[in-house]
Amino acid sequence: MFTPDPDYVPFCGMPPLPAELMARWTLDPALLAGLALALALGLWRVPAGGGARASFISGWGLTAIAFVSPICALSMALFSARVGQHLLLTLVAAPLIAHALDGRRVPPMGGAIVFSGFFWFWHLPTPYQTTLQSDAIYWAMHLTLLGSAIVFWSALFGRMDRQPISGFLSAILVGAQMSALSAILVFSTGLWHDWHRAVTAPYGLSAMADQALAGGLMWVFGSLLFVGAIGLMVVRLVARAESRAGIGHATSPR
Amino acid sequence: MSATAEHQTYTGALKGEPNKSFEEIWAQPRGIRSLTSVSHRVVGKRFIVTGFIFFLIAGLLALGVRTQLIVPGNTFLDLQTYNQFFTMHGTLMMFLFAIPILEGFGVYFLPLMLGARDLIFPRLGAFGYFCYLFGGIIVLSSFLFDAAPESGWFMYTPLTTKEYTPGLSADFWLIGITFAEIASVTAAVELIAAILCARAPGMSLTKMPIFGWYILITAFMIAIGFPPLIIGSVLLESQRLLGLPFFDAAFGGDPLLWQHLFWIFGHPEVYIIFLPAAGFVSTMLPTFVGKPIFGYGFLVAAIVTMGFISFGLWAHHMYATGISPVSLSLFSAASTMVAIPTGIQIFCFIATLAQGRPRFTTPMLFVFGFLFIFVLGGLTGVMLASVPFNFQVHDTYFVVAHLHYVLIGGMVFPLFGAFYYWVPHFTGRMMSETLGKWVFWLMFIGFNTTFFLMHVTGLRGMPRRVATYPEDIGWDRLNMLSSIGSYILAAGIALFVIDFFRHLRSGEPAGRNPWGAGTMEWFYPTVAPGYNFRAIPPVRSREPLWDQPELNEDPAAVGGVLRAYPDHRRETVGCDPLSGEPLHIARLPHPTWVPLFTAFAIAVMFGSLLVSAYWVTAGAFVAMMAGFTAWAWEPSDSGVTRDAGLGYRLPVDKADRRSHTYIAVIGTLLILGALYFSLVFGVLYLWNTFPDFAARIARPDPLMAGGAIAAAVLMAVGAMAAKWLSMRDRFLTAALTGVVTAALGAATAGLLYLAIADIDRNATALGATAWAIVAYVGVLMFIAIWWALFNALRKLTGRTRPGQHVADFNFSPFAKGVALFAATTGALLLAAQGALP
């Protein structure tokens, strides 16, 4: 069993007060080195041209912002900020990075099940608590969450034009589980994460309101981002099929 | 794999009718035998006519409501009858008119538009229709017993529990509507499989008419959206019948759980109704503008995103239930989100109009009526999305006005346009343009008089669902005018009915393609023969009749696949879902009594449940299982190949992941998954909302739960092994493996039962929900066991011939899906065991 260390400071630091927030950048050398390594790896592996590289760099940039900027510190005070960080990573950065990768080897349903599993697991009380008690577990959480999100999105993008049915079913699963989790958070009558009990007040939110906000963010911005990504994917798929078949130019009504 | 190998030992045509010509094979049975018809043309028309009759009945009830409200202090209806009238009005309109009639249009027109001779599961279509009819009759018959539902169309708990609604009225609603919903979900599976798997050669998904996309996404939404309500209804009915406390706050249940389940269905329902109607609009617009629809790709994306968004928005029907202010403001923002895909569609329609010079026919008038009314309804929707305004007009006539603007504007006006547009296809004659314009203007003026004024009535504070109101508080004249408007609206609809009967005798013959449309349903002169296509022509365009001149020649002589019919069977071509390339020949059933018999058995089952005659219920259950077994117990035609024409040589009923039967199994699993998900949502919701009650229930047995997971995994492996053996024609070992698979399924269900045996299902809502989940998994296991034994028995009795693998091929994903639900249940019980104090 895991025993918490009372002197342990989480990776993003102790919860900041609003006044000190903007000065709380996370300039941890290991983090910066890891980000640089990921960038180098991406630039080496992702071919130039076709927008893939630009997509990768913007996804990487958002990932860097999510960890280096004060978002990281704020997520120590507010659960809603933590959820916002996770949404930014899994629903914006991950599809951007996935767009640059070749996901044709992974079945989308498998990716969706693994991602959904991690998404629920890391937001449940006990696992969430442990990420605030060990750097290793904190990074295990982020790497599994972001990694499985990238795998899911790249599988979806890579297989959509060959397996649209399982692609859609996997998208339905991911959307549904996210709505369900957020609904349960929003309508909860008890506090899930003790960590945030005493640290949200300086931001003008009770801990329960912060939790409801987290659920609401996941529900609303989660669906908005998710649906936006799906919509863009469909537009691109149809456009690609149209240009292949020459539709849209040759139709001539009588 | 020997799936396509030719076997010389049998002909592959055990069910053919060798003495009949092509036309005779497809002929519709006459007289009493017409009840055996399985043709989509017959079933679709039945859906439409029945739905329209429900529309007229519900409309008459609405006139009763408006007559009661015409003057203050009126005594035209007593309070109880008034409640019954508005409840039944909403119930019939939403469940027995809107969805079935739209599905009817899909059932009737999709095969014609997509290039198929019939919908891909004709018996399922007929079965669904009879379920709908019997369910509707059960609901309607409540009037005869003076037990019509009276709790409003959304049946909120605790009003609908046994304490506050004794008697049978709520049971009529719950049982009848659940039955009718079986029809909706079966039709959804059928439409998904038909759209994806049975199109003309070369019709890729992106060459499909936009109507196909609208119905495809709607069908997916039905498959996911109806299960929460089915679960809610089953839970509420078992609370009423068995006393399980799902919604009872005293036992840790939550009346709001009903609202969640209802609106997880109810919000998508609005779009389920709107999308097919928008599909009508986007089919009629190009015809009358003379140009293809603008922005096909954007439309498809808008339809898909609308489907996704609609499932995330249910909470905006629950603003007044005490959601925290922070979440409310987010929901408010989210509710306006749906304006984006709706806006994209409306702008695509407007851009299509701007491309050419529209012809102002009657259908076009209705399209304009749709645009006008629906946009207004959308605007009041944006108003209602704002929290303070919503609180102000909550449960007033403003909401009534808004929902009628959305539903009548978004669905009824396109529907009447569609009637004028497509009636020639049903009857071979044109309806009157002159009378049609009268119908439109009467409906348009009557509608706006009735409902525009209701906005004002609502803003002046009149609550909905009150049977009368006092004089001189500013509501009299508005109500009087609304009621007069409703009579004008009714006169328009009556004129439509008159015009319909008039045109049957004296309407102009329609001939071929009367509107100059580009879609394939107008390929034959009206009325098209029951087989739709003598040979199925290749399609290269979204508007084939505009772009492919050869299709405007003699339709019986146009070249295509399946002109020859060597086995004298009804058949159509099954395609690759994506490219539309022919994949196999799909053999279709001939007329049969089985769908009617099975649906009737289920009707008896539900009806006897209603009157608590449980022995009859048991007998009807046996009859139902016999019906389903007879349905499947017929010789298989698969395992041979045939020349299909145009150089294609195709297998018959191929065992393939792209075939319609496999896709249908996946679609069924989607529905079953949504049902399961709804129950799990219930458990997590209750646990999280009333954690104190979780402490009161007994811990599940971890050993049994773990054993159930293991047995479920083994069962999935068994099903895969049976498939593997069967695909290699090793039928004896495959049959034995199937029996072992069935035994493992039974073991899984038994172990799950033992795991929760100590939990008292009457003491807490959470315990009751745990039982409900295990009971549901038990039902699925029963089906899986039945299927496994059925496959084994067919092999052991020599009814499976070499090369026939479809049954085992399709059982495997079903067994895996059911095993996944069972294993998830076991895992949830283990997690609960660890988390319970």
Side-chain angles (χ1 to χ4, degrees), chain A residues 65-125:
Chain A
I65 290 172
F67 289 115
V68 177
S69 80
I71 293 177
C72 190
L74 187 62
S75 74
M76 291 300 108
L78 299 179
F79 180 44
S80 50
R82 180 83 178 261
V83 164
Q85 183 198 37
H86 293 174
L87 294 177
L88 182 70
L89 288 170
T90 56
L91 298 181
V92 188
L96 282 169
I97 295 170
H99 179 226
L101 304 176
D102 178 8
R104 271 174 292 177
R105 277 181 300 249
V106 190
M109 202 34 132
I113 290 175
V114 172
F115 169 66
S116 306
F118 280 128
F119 198 79
W120 276 73
F121 179 76
W122 289 118
H123 288 104
L124 293 179

Side-chain angles (χ1 to χ4, degrees), chain A residues 209-226:
Chain A
D210 174 46
Q211 177 172 299
L213 180 64
L217 273 179
M218 196 190 283
W219 200 332
V220 174
F221 289 99
S223 353
L224 186 66
L225 296 172
F226 187 72

Side-chain angles (χ1 to χ4, degrees), chain B residues 590-817:
Chain B
H590 294 205
T592 159
W593 288 102
V594 170
L596 176 60
F597 172 81
T598 316
F600 187 72
I602 300 179
V604 172
M605 202 165 89
F606 280 113
S608 58
L609 209 57
L610 198 57
V611 295
S612 309
Y614 298 121
W615 282 108
V616 182
T617 312
F621 174 78
V622 173
M624 174 190 82
M625 291 311 294
F628 281 130
T629 309
W631 189 319
W633 191 269
E634 54 170 25
S636 170
D637 269 5
S638 62
V640 290
T641 53
R642 290 284 181 268
D643 276 321
L646 299 185
Y648 289 106
R649 188 162 175 81
L650 301 175
V652 169
D653 288 333
K654 192 174 184 205
D656 192 290
R657 283 166 178 267
R658 295 164 295 172
S659 83
H660 56 285
T661 47
Y662 187 88
I663 299 278
V665 171
I666 300 299
T668 308
L669 280 174
L670 180 67
I671 294 171
L672 299 178
L675 289 167
Y676 183 74
F677 205 76
S678 307
L679 282 169
V680 172
F681 175 79
V683 161
L684 294 174
Y685 176 85
L686 289 175
W687 191 338
N688 192 51
T689 321
F690 297 103
D692 301 348
F693 283 89
R696 295 196 201 166
I697 65 173
R699 289 173 169 225
D701 186 333
L703 201 63
M704 297 298 161
I709 297 176
V713 171
L714 287 175
M715 174 201 165
V717 173
M720 288 192 289
K723 170 185 154 187
W724 190 89
L725 292 163
S726 164
M727 296 295 277
R728 282 151 188 80
D729 289 342
R730 283 146 70 172
F731 287 148
L732 183 63
T733 39
L736 295 176
T737 315
V739 173
V740 173
T741 306
L744 286 165
T748 311
L751 287 165
L752 280 177
Y753 167 77
L754 291 176
I756 60 154
D758 287 340
I759 297 176
D760 183 352
R761 58 183 177 274
N762 293 310
T764 59
L766 198 57
T769 319
W771 271 86
I773 291 188
V774 171
Y776 173 66
V777 172
V779 170
L780 295 189
M781 275 301 171
F782 174 77
I783 298 169
I785 292 165
W786 193 274
W787 191 346
L789 292 178
F790 178 92
N791 283 356
L793 192 61
R794 275 179 74 99
K795 285 197 265 298
L796 294 174
T797 53
R799 286 181 174 258
T800 307
R801 294 156 195 270
Q804 300 189 328
H805 311 127
V806 179
D808 286 298
F809 188 84
N810 289 341
F811 175 63
S812 170
F814 183 80
K816 279 189 274 185

Side-chain angles (χ1 to χ4, degrees), chain B residues 455-479:
Chain B
H455 291 111
V456 186
T457 323
L459 288 173
R460 289 191 179 179
M462 178 160 169
R464 61 196 290 204
R465 299 179 169 177
V466 290
T468 191
Y469 51 94
E471 232 172 319
D472 290 333
I473 51 173
W475 301 346
D476 312 5
R477 193 172 305 158
L478 289 168
N479 271 305

Side-chain angles (χ1 to χ4, degrees), chain A residues 184-212:
Chain A
I184 287 167
L185 265 176
V186 164
F187 296 108
S188 175
T189 51
L191 192 66
W192 280 33
H193 306 308
D194 263 339
W195 173 272
H196 296 285
R197 188 178 295 279
V199 293
T200 61
Y203 293 85
L205 284 168
S206 70
M208 281 305 292
D210 174 46
Q211 177 172 299

Side-chain angles (χ1 to χ4, degrees), chain A residues 172-191:
Chain A
I172 289 169
L173 173 71
V174 169
Q177 58 87 16
M178 207 176 274
S179 287
L181 179 60
S182 48
I184 287 167
L185 265 176
V186 164
F187 296 108
S188 175
T189 51
L191 192 66

Side-chain angles (χ1 to χ4, degrees), chain B residues 39 114 132 275 321 393 418 450 473 498 580 627 658 677 736 747 822:
Chain B
S39 158
L114 303 180
Y132 156 59
L275 283 176
T321 57
V393 298
T450 311
I473 51 173
I498 293 168
R658 295 164 295 172
F677 205 76
L736 295 176

Side-chain angles (χ1 to χ4, degrees), chain B residues 251-337:
Chain B
F251 296 90
D254 190 356
L256 280 184
L257 177 60
W258 168 265
Q259 288 202 27
H260 282 295
L261 291 173
F262 188 89
W263 289 115
I264 295 174
F265 147 81
H267 193 74
E269 157 97 343
V270 178
Y271 301 94
I272 289 169
I273 290 173
F274 166 71
L275 283 176
F280 296 161
V281 171
S282 47
T283 308
M284 292 186 277
L285 265 181
T287 301
F288 295 115
V289 176
K291 301 271 181 192
I293 192 84
F294 178 88
Y296 182 91
F298 286 102
L299 270 178
V300 173
I303 304 165
V304 173
T305 47
M306 211 169 188
F308 275 96
I309 291 177
S310 69
F311 282 96
L313 289 184
W314 79 86
H316 84 191
H317 295 265
M318 300 170 61
Y319 273 9
T321 57
I323 301 173
S324 81
V326 184
S327 317
L328 270 186
S329 40
L330 283 165
F331 288 139
S332 177
S335 303
T336 53
M337 203 158 78

